[in-house]
mmCIF file of all heavy atoms in Angstrom:
data_model
loop_
_atom_site.group_PDB
_atom_site.id
_atom_site.type_symbol
_atom_site.label_atom_id
_atom_site.label_comp_id
_atom_site.label_asym_id
_atom_site.label_seq_id
_atom_site.Cartn_x
_atom_site.Cartn_y
_atom_site.Cartn_z
ATOM 1 N N THR Q 1 -13.551 33.173 -1.586
ATOM 2 C CA THR Q 1 -14.028 32.860 -0.243
ATOM 3 C C THR Q 1 -15.207 33.758 0.137
ATOM 4 O O THR Q 1 -15.405 34.832 -0.428
ATOM 5 C CB THR Q 1 -12.915 33.044 0.799
ATOM 6 O OG1 THR Q 1 -12.431 34.389 0.734
ATOM 7 C CG2 THR Q 1 -11.771 32.074 0.559
ATOM 8 N N LYS Q 2 -15.957 33.270 1.131
ATOM 9 C CA LYS Q 2 -17.081 34.019 1.669
ATOM 10 C C LYS Q 2 -17.147 33.729 3.148
ATOM 11 O O LYS Q 2 -16.914 32.596 3.570
ATOM 12 C CB LYS Q 2 -18.380 33.592 0.979
ATOM 13 C CG LYS Q 2 -19.625 34.288 1.495
ATOM 14 C CD LYS Q 2 -20.860 33.767 0.762
ATOM 15 C CE LYS Q 2 -22.132 34.402 1.303
ATOM 16 N NZ LYS Q 2 -23.333 33.888 0.590
ATOM 17 N N TYR Q 3 -17.486 34.767 3.929
ATOM 18 C CA TYR Q 3 -17.532 34.620 5.382
ATOM 19 C C TYR Q 3 -18.826 35.171 5.960
ATOM 20 O O TYR Q 3 -19.398 36.124 5.434
ATOM 21 C CB TYR Q 3 -16.357 35.376 6.020
ATOM 22 C CG TYR Q 3 -15.008 34.840 5.639
ATOM 23 C CD1 TYR Q 3 -14.315 35.360 4.558
ATOM 24 C CD2 TYR Q 3 -14.419 33.804 6.352
ATOM 25 C CE1 TYR Q 3 -13.076 34.869 4.184
ATOM 26 C CE2 TYR Q 3 -13.174 33.302 6.001
ATOM 27 C CZ TYR Q 3 -12.513 33.849 4.911
ATOM 28 O OH TYR Q 3 -11.287 33.353 4.553
ATOM 29 N N ALA Q 4 -19.239 34.571 7.065
ATOM 30 C CA ALA Q 4 -20.321 35.157 7.835
ATOM 31 C C ALA Q 4 -19.814 36.480 8.419
ATOM 32 O O ALA Q 4 -18.637 36.611 8.764
ATOM 33 C CB ALA Q 4 -20.741 34.214 8.956
ATOM 34 N N ASP Q 5 -20.721 37.438 8.531
ATOM 35 C CA ASP Q 5 -20.326 38.745 9.058
ATOM 36 C C ASP Q 5 -19.702 38.631 10.441
ATOM 37 O O ASP Q 5 -18.791 39.390 10.780
ATOM 38 C CB ASP Q 5 -21.539 39.676 9.113
ATOM 39 C CG ASP Q 5 -22.001 40.124 7.736
ATOM 40 O OD1 ASP Q 5 -21.216 40.009 6.771
ATOM 41 O OD2 ASP Q 5 -23.150 40.579 7.627
ATOM 42 N N SER Q 6 -20.172 37.695 11.228
ATOM 43 C CA SER Q 6 -19.715 37.568 12.607
ATOM 44 C C SER Q 6 -18.266 37.120 12.722
ATOM 45 O O SER Q 6 -17.664 37.252 13.792
ATOM 46 C CB SER Q 6 -20.612 36.601 13.367
ATOM 47 O OG SER Q 6 -20.600 35.329 12.746
ATOM 48 N N VAL Q 7 -17.703 36.588 11.646
ATOM 49 C CA VAL Q 7 -16.323 36.075 11.724
ATOM 50 C C VAL Q 7 -15.364 36.807 10.793
ATOM 51 O O VAL Q 7 -14.162 36.531 10.809
ATOM 52 C CB VAL Q 7 -16.270 34.561 11.441
ATOM 53 C CG1 VAL Q 7 -17.241 33.817 12.341
ATOM 54 C CG2 VAL Q 7 -16.532 34.249 9.977
ATOM 55 N N LYS Q 8 -15.874 37.725 9.995
ATOM 56 C CA LYS Q 8 -15.009 38.450 9.066
ATOM 57 C C LYS Q 8 -13.883 39.149 9.806
ATOM 58 O O LYS Q 8 -14.104 39.790 10.825
ATOM 59 C CB LYS Q 8 -15.824 39.474 8.274
ATOM 60 C CG LYS Q 8 -16.634 38.878 7.149
ATOM 61 C CD LYS Q 8 -17.400 39.955 6.398
ATOM 62 C CE LYS Q 8 -18.244 39.353 5.282
ATOM 63 N NZ LYS Q 8 -19.068 40.379 4.592
ATOM 64 N N GLY Q 9 -12.686 39.010 9.272
ATOM 65 C CA GLY Q 9 -11.521 39.624 9.886
ATOM 66 C C GLY Q 9 -10.900 38.795 10.985
ATOM 67 O O GLY Q 9 -9.794 39.096 11.451
ATOM 68 N N ARG Q 10 -11.579 37.748 11.422
ATOM 69 C CA ARG Q 10 -11.037 36.880 12.482
ATOM 70 C C ARG Q 10 -10.747 35.471 11.988
ATOM 71 O O ARG Q 10 -9.805 34.838 12.464
ATOM 72 C CB ARG Q 10 -12.033 36.808 13.649
ATOM 73 C CG ARG Q 10 -12.349 38.138 14.288
ATOM 74 C CD ARG Q 10 -13.167 37.964 15.561
ATOM 75 N NE ARG Q 10 -14.472 37.345 15.320
ATOM 76 C CZ ARG Q 10 -14.876 36.216 15.897
ATOM 77 N NH1 ARG Q 10 -14.098 35.588 16.750
ATOM 78 N NH2 ARG Q 10 -16.087 35.739 15.636
ATOM 79 N N PHE Q 11 -11.560 34.986 11.071
ATOM 80 C CA PHE Q 11 -11.418 33.615 10.565
ATOM 81 C C PHE Q 11 -10.934 33.647 9.120
ATOM 82 O O PHE Q 11 -11.280 34.544 8.355
ATOM 83 C CB PHE Q 11 -12.757 32.882 10.604
ATOM 84 C CG PHE Q 11 -13.275 32.551 11.978
ATOM 85 C CD1 PHE Q 11 -12.712 33.073 13.124
ATOM 86 C CD2 PHE Q 11 -14.361 31.691 12.121
ATOM 87 C CE1 PHE Q 11 -13.190 32.774 14.385
ATOM 88 C CE2 PHE Q 11 -14.862 31.370 13.377
ATOM 89 C CZ PHE Q 11 -14.281 31.923 14.509
ATOM 90 N N THR Q 12 -10.164 32.623 8.765
ATOM 91 C CA THR Q 12 -9.688 32.481 7.386
ATOM 92 C C THR Q 12 -9.849 31.037 6.951
ATOM 93 O O THR Q 12 -9.402 30.117 7.653
ATOM 94 C CB THR Q 12 -8.216 32.882 7.275
ATOM 95 O OG1 THR Q 12 -8.040 34.233 7.721
ATOM 96 C CG2 THR Q 12 -7.747 32.785 5.821
ATOM 97 N N ILE Q 13 -10.468 30.848 5.802
ATOM 98 C CA ILE Q 13 -10.595 29.510 5.230
ATOM 99 C C ILE Q 13 -9.594 29.383 4.087
ATOM 100 O O ILE Q 13 -9.419 30.314 3.293
ATOM 101 C CB ILE Q 13 -12.038 29.244 4.737
ATOM 102 C CG1 ILE Q 13 -12.184 27.789 4.275
ATOM 103 C CG2 ILE Q 13 -12.453 30.218 3.645
ATOM 104 C CD1 ILE Q 13 -13.640 27.393 3.980
ATOM 105 N N PHE Q 14 -8.926 28.252 4.037
ATOM 106 C CA PHE Q 14 -7.996 28.001 2.941
ATOM 107 C C PHE Q 14 -7.899 26.508 2.712
ATOM 108 O O PHE Q 14 -8.185 25.716 3.602
ATOM 109 C CB PHE Q 14 -6.626 28.623 3.195
ATOM 110 C CG PHE Q 14 -5.924 28.158 4.436
ATOM 111 C CD1 PHE Q 14 -4.914 27.201 4.374
ATOM 112 C CD2 PHE Q 14 -6.248 28.698 5.679
ATOM 113 C CE1 PHE Q 14 -4.263 26.785 5.517
ATOM 114 C CE2 PHE Q 14 -5.602 28.283 6.825
ATOM 115 C CZ PHE Q 14 -4.606 27.327 6.749
ATOM 116 N N ARG Q 15 -7.474 26.151 1.516
ATOM 117 C CA ARG Q 15 -7.456 24.735 1.160
ATOM 118 C C ARG Q 15 -6.093 24.348 0.612
ATOM 119 O O ARG Q 15 -5.358 25.171 0.073
ATOM 120 C CB ARG Q 15 -8.542 24.439 0.137
ATOM 121 C CG ARG Q 15 -8.395 25.148 -1.200
ATOM 122 C CD ARG Q 15 -9.659 24.975 -2.064
ATOM 123 N NE ARG Q 15 -9.933 23.574 -2.360
ATOM 124 C CZ ARG Q 15 -11.135 23.119 -2.726
ATOM 125 N NH1 ARG Q 15 -12.162 23.950 -2.805
ATOM 126 N NH2 ARG Q 15 -11.296 21.838 -2.997
ATOM 127 N N ASN Q 16 -5.797 23.066 0.746
ATOM 128 C CA ASN Q 16 -4.572 22.489 0.200
ATOM 129 C C ASN Q 16 -4.997 21.275 -0.605
ATOM 130 O O ASN Q 16 -5.228 20.192 -0.041
ATOM 131 C CB ASN Q 16 -3.607 22.107 1.315
ATOM 132 C CG ASN Q 16 -2.288 21.590 0.794
ATOM 133 O OD1 ASN Q 16 -2.216 21.010 -0.291
ATOM 134 N ND2 ASN Q 16 -1.223 21.801 1.551
ATOM 135 N N ASN Q 17 -5.125 21.446 -1.895
ATOM 136 C CA ASN Q 17 -5.627 20.347 -2.732
ATOM 137 C C ASN Q 17 -4.649 19.171 -2.770
ATOM 138 O O ASN Q 17 -5.071 18.024 -2.931
ATOM 139 C CB ASN Q 17 -5.911 20.851 -4.140
ATOM 140 C CG ASN Q 17 -7.136 21.745 -4.209
ATOM 141 O OD1 ASN Q 17 -7.980 21.735 -3.309
ATOM 142 N ND2 ASN Q 17 -7.220 22.539 -5.259
ATOM 143 N N ALA Q 18 -3.383 19.440 -2.631
ATOM 144 C CA ALA Q 18 -2.397 18.354 -2.652
ATOM 145 C C ALA Q 18 -2.565 17.429 -1.450
ATOM 146 O O ALA Q 18 -2.225 16.245 -1.513
ATOM 147 C CB ALA Q 18 -0.990 18.931 -2.683
ATOM 148 N N GLU Q 19 -3.102 17.980 -0.352
ATOM 149 C CA GLU Q 19 -3.287 17.185 0.854
ATOM 150 C C GLU Q 19 -4.752 16.863 1.126
ATOM 151 O O GLU Q 19 -5.082 16.313 2.173
ATOM 152 C CB GLU Q 19 -2.688 17.919 2.056
ATOM 153 C CG GLU Q 19 -1.178 18.093 1.962
ATOM 154 C CD GLU Q 19 -0.584 18.749 3.200
ATOM 155 O OE1 GLU Q 19 -1.366 19.205 4.065
ATOM 156 O OE2 GLU Q 19 0.653 18.809 3.294
ATOM 157 N N ASN Q 20 -5.625 17.247 0.190
ATOM 158 C CA ASN Q 20 -7.070 16.989 0.339
ATOM 159 C C ASN Q 20 -7.626 17.576 1.631
ATOM 160 O O ASN Q 20 -8.449 16.938 2.307
ATOM 161 C CB ASN Q 20 -7.366 15.474 0.294
ATOM 162 C CG ASN Q 20 -7.200 14.894 -1.087
ATOM 163 O OD1 ASN Q 20 -6.896 15.601 -2.032
ATOM 164 N ND2 ASN Q 20 -7.396 13.595 -1.197
ATOM 165 N N THR Q 21 -7.165 18.751 1.978
ATOM 166 C CA THR Q 21 -7.610 19.348 3.234
ATOM 167 C C THR Q 21 -8.121 20.769 3.028
ATOM 168 O O THR Q 21 -7.685 21.490 2.128
ATOM 169 C CB THR Q 21 -6.474 19.393 4.269
ATOM 170 O OG1 THR Q 21 -5.372 20.123 3.712
ATOM 171 C CG2 THR Q 21 -6.029 18.010 4.674
ATOM 172 N N VAL Q 22 -9.031 21.145 3.891
ATOM 173 C CA VAL Q 22 -9.470 22.526 4.011
ATOM 174 C C VAL Q 22 -9.347 22.902 5.480
ATOM 175 O O VAL Q 22 -9.626 22.087 6.362
ATOM 176 C CB VAL Q 22 -10.911 22.722 3.493
ATOM 177 C CG1 VAL Q 22 -11.899 21.878 4.262
ATOM 178 C CG2 VAL Q 22 -11.290 24.186 3.503
ATOM 179 N N HIS Q 23 -8.878 24.102 5.713
ATOM 180 C CA HIS Q 23 -8.624 24.549 7.080
ATOM 181 C C HIS Q 23 -9.456 25.780 7.399
ATOM 182 O O HIS Q 23 -9.834 26.543 6.505
ATOM 183 C CB HIS Q 23 -7.144 24.897 7.259
ATOM 184 C CG HIS Q 23 -6.211 23.801 6.909
ATOM 185 N ND1 HIS Q 23 -5.923 22.757 7.765
ATOM 186 C CD2 HIS Q 23 -5.494 23.571 5.775
ATOM 187 C CE1 HIS Q 23 -5.066 21.941 7.182
ATOM 188 N NE2 HIS Q 23 -4.783 22.413 5.971
ATOM 189 N N LEU Q 24 -9.697 25.952 8.676
ATOM 190 C CA LEU Q 24 -10.321 27.172 9.153
ATOM 191 C C LEU Q 24 -9.440 27.710 10.279
ATOM 192 O O LEU Q 24 -9.400 27.123 11.364
ATOM 193 C CB LEU Q 24 -11.740 26.915 9.653
ATOM 194 C CG LEU Q 24 -12.513 28.162 10.085
ATOM 195 C CD1 LEU Q 24 -12.815 29.041 8.863
ATOM 196 C CD2 LEU Q 24 -13.802 27.785 10.802
ATOM 197 N N GLN Q 25 -8.740 28.782 9.997
ATOM 198 C CA GLN Q 25 -7.932 29.435 11.010
ATOM 199 C C GLN Q 25 -8.814 30.422 11.755
ATOM 200 O O GLN Q 25 -9.382 31.326 11.145
ATOM 201 C CB GLN Q 25 -6.749 30.167 10.368
ATOM 202 C CG GLN Q 25 -5.882 30.926 11.350
ATOM 203 C CD GLN Q 25 -5.156 30.014 12.318
ATOM 204 O OE1 GLN Q 25 -4.644 28.957 11.927
ATOM 205 N NE2 GLN Q 25 -5.113 30.392 13.582
ATOM 206 N N MET Q 26 -8.926 30.218 13.062
ATOM 207 C CA MET Q 26 -9.813 31.041 13.875
ATOM 208 C C MET Q 26 -8.978 31.818 14.880
ATOM 209 O O MET Q 26 -8.324 31.223 15.748
ATOM 210 C CB MET Q 26 -10.835 30.162 14.599
ATOM 211 C CG MET Q 26 -11.626 29.259 13.664
ATOM 212 S SD MET Q 26 -12.956 28.360 14.494
ATOM 213 C CE MET Q 26 -12.002 27.300 15.568
ATOM 214 N N ASN Q 27 -8.980 33.117 14.757
ATOM 215 C CA ASN Q 27 -8.250 33.995 15.666
ATOM 216 C C ASN Q 27 -9.217 34.863 16.451
ATOM 217 O O ASN Q 27 -10.390 35.003 16.080
ATOM 218 C CB ASN Q 27 -7.287 34.882 14.869
ATOM 219 C CG ASN Q 27 -6.239 34.098 14.112
ATOM 220 O OD1 ASN Q 27 -5.813 33.024 14.545
ATOM 221 N ND2 ASN Q 27 -5.802 34.622 12.976
ATOM 222 N N SER Q 28 -8.720 35.439 17.518
ATOM 223 C CA SER Q 28 -9.538 36.337 18.349
ATOM 224 C C SER Q 28 -10.876 35.698 18.692
ATOM 225 O O SER Q 28 -11.932 36.314 18.560
ATOM 226 C CB SER Q 28 -9.766 37.674 17.625
ATOM 227 O OG SER Q 28 -8.539 38.286 17.295
ATOM 228 N N LEU Q 29 -10.811 34.474 19.149
ATOM 229 C CA LEU Q 29 -12.043 33.735 19.436
ATOM 230 C C LEU Q 29 -12.822 34.374 20.582
ATOM 231 O O LEU Q 29 -12.240 34.928 21.530
ATOM 232 C CB LEU Q 29 -11.715 32.284 19.763
ATOM 233 C CG LEU Q 29 -11.414 31.429 18.519
ATOM 234 C CD1 LEU Q 29 -10.638 30.175 18.894
ATOM 235 C CD2 LEU Q 29 -12.716 31.067 17.818
ATOM 236 N N LYS Q 30 -14.134 34.279 20.448
ATOM 237 C CA LYS Q 30 -15.051 34.840 21.428
ATOM 238 C C LYS Q 30 -15.899 33.725 22.022
ATOM 239 O O LYS Q 30 -16.108 32.687 21.373
ATOM 240 C CB LYS Q 30 -15.962 35.871 20.762
ATOM 241 C CG LYS Q 30 -15.234 36.992 20.049
ATOM 242 C CD LYS Q 30 -16.225 37.909 19.336
ATOM 243 C CE LYS Q 30 -15.510 39.031 18.598
ATOM 244 N NZ LYS Q 30 -16.480 39.917 17.901
ATOM 245 N N PRO Q 31 -16.440 33.926 23.210
ATOM 246 C CA PRO Q 31 -17.320 32.895 23.781
ATOM 247 C C PRO Q 31 -18.472 32.528 22.854
ATOM 248 O O PRO Q 31 -18.904 31.376 22.827
ATOM 249 C CB PRO Q 31 -17.810 33.555 25.067
ATOM 250 C CG PRO Q 31 -16.687 34.457 25.467
ATOM 251 C CD PRO Q 31 -16.166 34.999 24.171
ATOM 252 N N GLU Q 32 -18.951 33.484 22.077
ATOM 253 C CA GLU Q 32 -20.066 33.195 21.178
ATOM 254 C C GLU Q 32 -19.665 32.355 19.965
ATOM 255 O O GLU Q 32 -20.526 31.945 19.181
ATOM 256 C CB GLU Q 32 -20.738 34.490 20.703
ATOM 257 C CG GLU Q 32 -19.796 35.517 20.130
ATOM 258 C CD GLU Q 32 -19.396 36.572 21.153
ATOM 259 O OE1 GLU Q 32 -19.103 36.193 22.327
ATOM 260 O OE2 GLU Q 32 -19.363 37.766 20.775
ATOM 261 N N ASP Q 33 -18.386 32.089 19.801
ATOM 262 C CA ASP Q 33 -17.934 31.178 18.749
ATOM 263 C C ASP Q 33 -18.057 29.718 19.162
ATOM 264 O O ASP Q 33 -17.818 28.822 18.350
ATOM 265 C CB ASP Q 33 -16.480 31.471 18.382
ATOM 266 C CG ASP Q 33 -16.286 32.825 17.742
ATOM 267 O OD1 ASP Q 33 -17.107 33.206 16.893
ATOM 268 O OD2 ASP Q 33 -15.302 33.504 18.093
ATOM 269 N N ARG Q 34 -18.439 29.505 20.397
ATOM 270 C CA ARG Q 34 -18.587 28.141 20.887
ATOM 271 C C ARG Q 34 -19.656 27.410 20.099
ATOM 272 O O ARG Q 34 -20.782 27.898 19.952
ATOM 273 C CB ARG Q 34 -18.957 28.136 22.358
ATOM 274 C CG ARG Q 34 -19.229 26.742 22.911
ATOM 275 C CD ARG Q 34 -19.955 26.822 24.236
ATOM 276 N NE ARG Q 34 -20.277 25.480 24.728
ATOM 277 C CZ ARG Q 34 -21.275 25.226 25.560
ATOM 278 N NH1 ARG Q 34 -22.020 26.210 26.004
ATOM 279 N NH2 ARG Q 34 -21.500 23.998 25.960
ATOM 280 N N ALA Q 35 -19.309 26.256 19.548
ATOM 281 C CA ALA Q 35 -20.237 25.476 18.736
ATOM 282 C C ALA Q 35 -19.565 24.187 18.294
ATOM 283 O O ALA Q 35 -18.359 24.003 18.493
ATOM 284 C CB ALA Q 35 -20.669 26.271 17.495
ATOM 285 N N VAL Q 36 -20.359 23.328 17.695
ATOM 286 C CA VAL Q 36 -19.792 22.212 16.956
ATOM 287 C C VAL Q 36 -19.589 22.691 15.523
ATOM 288 O O VAL Q 36 -20.515 23.229 14.907
ATOM 289 C CB VAL Q 36 -20.714 20.984 16.985
ATOM 290 C CG1 VAL Q 36 -20.111 19.855 16.142
ATOM 291 C CG2 VAL Q 36 -20.945 20.527 18.418
ATOM 292 N N TYR Q 37 -18.374 22.521 15.017
ATOM 293 C CA TYR Q 37 -18.029 22.972 13.679
ATOM 294 C C TYR Q 37 -18.004 21.782 12.728
ATOM 295 O O TYR Q 37 -17.391 20.745 13.021
ATOM 296 C CB TYR Q 37 -16.671 23.669 13.696
ATOM 297 C CG TYR Q 37 -16.742 25.060 14.284
ATOM 298 C CD1 TYR Q 37 -16.966 25.260 15.641
ATOM 299 C CD2 TYR Q 37 -16.620 26.180 13.471
ATOM 300 C CE1 TYR Q 37 -17.060 26.535 16.178
ATOM 301 C CE2 TYR Q 37 -16.705 27.466 13.992
ATOM 302 C CZ TYR Q 37 -16.924 27.629 15.343
ATOM 303 O OH TYR Q 37 -17.012 28.902 15.865
ATOM 304 N N TYR Q 38 -18.670 21.967 11.596
ATOM 305 C CA TYR Q 38 -18.793 20.913 10.604
ATOM 306 C C TYR Q 38 -18.164 21.337 9.286
ATOM 307 O O TYR Q 38 -18.298 22.495 8.860
ATOM 308 C CB TYR Q 38 -20.261 20.586 10.351
ATOM 309 C CG TYR Q 38 -21.014 20.068 11.534
ATOM 310 C CD1 TYR Q 38 -21.671 20.931 12.411
ATOM 311 C CD2 TYR Q 38 -21.087 18.697 11.788
ATOM 312 C CE1 TYR Q 38 -22.367 20.456 13.498
ATOM 313 C CE2 TYR Q 38 -21.787 18.214 12.882
ATOM 314 C CZ TYR Q 38 -22.423 19.099 13.732
ATOM 315 O OH TYR Q 38 -23.111 18.616 14.813
ATOM 316 N N CYS Q 39 -17.576 20.379 8.644
ATOM 317 C CA CYS Q 39 -17.028 20.560 7.302
ATOM 318 C C CYS Q 39 -18.039 20.013 6.297
ATOM 319 O O CYS Q 39 -18.667 18.973 6.538
ATOM 320 C CB CYS Q 39 -15.712 19.784 7.220
ATOM 321 S SG CYS Q 39 -14.952 19.690 5.598
ATOM 322 N N ARG Q 40 -18.201 20.713 5.204
ATOM 323 C CA ARG Q 40 -19.116 20.277 4.148
ATOM 324 C C ARG Q 40 -18.407 20.385 2.807
ATOM 325 O O ARG Q 40 -17.746 21.388 2.535
ATOM 326 C CB ARG Q 40 -20.359 21.159 4.125
ATOM 327 C CG ARG Q 40 -21.374 20.778 3.043
ATOM 328 C CD ARG Q 40 -22.450 21.830 2.918
ATOM 329 N NE ARG Q 40 -23.505 21.463 1.976
ATOM 330 C CZ ARG Q 40 -24.364 22.323 1.444
ATOM 331 N NH1 ARG Q 40 -24.290 23.613 1.769
ATOM 332 N NH2 ARG Q 40 -25.282 21.914 0.610
ATOM 333 N N GLY Q 41 -18.567 19.367 2.005
ATOM 334 C CA GLY Q 41 -18.018 19.377 0.649
ATOM 335 C C GLY Q 41 -19.137 19.231 -0.372
ATOM 336 O O GLY Q 41 -20.061 18.441 -0.173
ATOM 337 N N ILE Q 42 -19.077 20.018 -1.422
ATOM 338 C CA ILE Q 42 -20.109 19.993 -2.451
ATOM 339 C C ILE Q 42 -19.464 19.632 -3.781
ATOM 340 O O ILE Q 42 -18.592 20.346 -4.279
ATOM 341 C CB ILE Q 42 -20.801 21.361 -2.570
ATOM 342 C CG1 ILE Q 42 -21.411 21.775 -1.240
ATOM 343 C CG2 ILE Q 42 -21.882 21.315 -3.662
ATOM 344 C CD1 ILE Q 42 -21.942 23.179 -1.210
ATOM 345 N N TRP Q 43 -19.924 18.501 -4.319
ATOM 346 C CA TRP Q 43 -19.472 18.043 -5.632
ATOM 347 C C TRP Q 43 -20.688 18.048 -6.550
ATOM 348 O O TRP Q 43 -21.496 17.119 -6.535
ATOM 349 C CB TRP Q 43 -18.916 16.626 -5.548
ATOM 350 C CG TRP Q 43 -17.570 16.498 -4.919
ATOM 351 C CD1 TRP Q 43 -16.377 16.384 -5.575
ATOM 352 C CD2 TRP Q 43 -17.266 16.423 -3.519
ATOM 353 N NE1 TRP Q 43 -15.351 16.261 -4.663
ATOM 354 C CE2 TRP Q 43 -15.862 16.279 -3.399
ATOM 355 C CE3 TRP Q 43 -18.031 16.474 -2.346
ATOM 356 C CZ2 TRP Q 43 -15.206 16.187 -2.165
ATOM 357 C CZ3 TRP Q 43 -17.395 16.372 -1.124
ATOM 358 C CH2 TRP Q 43 -16.007 16.229 -1.045
ATOM 359 N N GLY Q 44 -20.870 19.087 -7.296
ATOM 360 C CA GLY Q 44 -22.018 19.165 -8.191
ATOM 361 C C GLY Q 44 -23.309 19.094 -7.400
ATOM 362 O O GLY Q 44 -23.599 19.925 -6.563
ATOM 363 N N ASN Q 45 -24.106 18.057 -7.690
ATOM 364 C CA ASN Q 45 -25.400 17.896 -7.015
ATOM 365 C C ASN Q 45 -25.311 17.115 -5.707
ATOM 366 O O ASN Q 45 -26.342 16.846 -5.078
ATOM 367 C CB ASN Q 45 -26.375 17.174 -7.944
ATOM 368 C CG ASN Q 45 -26.728 18.013 -9.156
ATOM 369 O OD1 ASN Q 45 -26.758 19.242 -9.090
ATOM 370 N ND2 ASN Q 45 -26.964 17.352 -10.277
ATOM 371 N N TYR Q 46 -24.126 16.763 -5.295
ATOM 372 C CA TYR Q 46 -23.942 15.959 -4.083
ATOM 373 C C TYR Q 46 -23.166 16.746 -3.025
ATOM 374 O O TYR Q 46 -22.259 17.504 -3.362
ATOM 375 C CB TYR Q 46 -23.185 14.669 -4.408
ATOM 376 C CG TYR Q 46 -23.903 13.798 -5.406
ATOM 377 C CD1 TYR Q 46 -23.633 13.920 -6.766
ATOM 378 C CD2 TYR Q 46 -24.850 12.870 -4.997
ATOM 379 C CE1 TYR Q 46 -24.291 13.132 -7.696
ATOM 380 C CE2 TYR Q 46 -25.511 12.079 -5.919
ATOM 381 C CZ TYR Q 46 -25.227 12.217 -7.257
ATOM 382 O OH TYR Q 46 -25.887 11.429 -8.168
ATOM 383 N N ASP Q 47 -23.548 16.540 -1.794
ATOM 384 C CA ASP Q 47 -22.774 17.131 -0.715
ATOM 385 C C ASP Q 47 -22.603 16.126 0.416
ATOM 386 O O ASP Q 47 -23.413 15.214 0.592
ATOM 387 C CB ASP Q 47 -23.381 18.437 -0.208
ATOM 388 C CG ASP Q 47 -24.674 18.232 0.552
ATOM 389 O OD1 ASP Q 47 -25.363 17.234 0.278
ATOM 390 O OD2 ASP Q 47 -24.985 19.058 1.437
#
């Protein structure tokens, strides 16, 4: 895993391949975390 410095220690990314899902657990949220959050998947040369 890799995290932006601004979220290290507060956010955790994890995946469940059996359920085809990836999650982002966000704790200790701050007003500056306000945004639209997007999921991106990269398969070789395609995303």
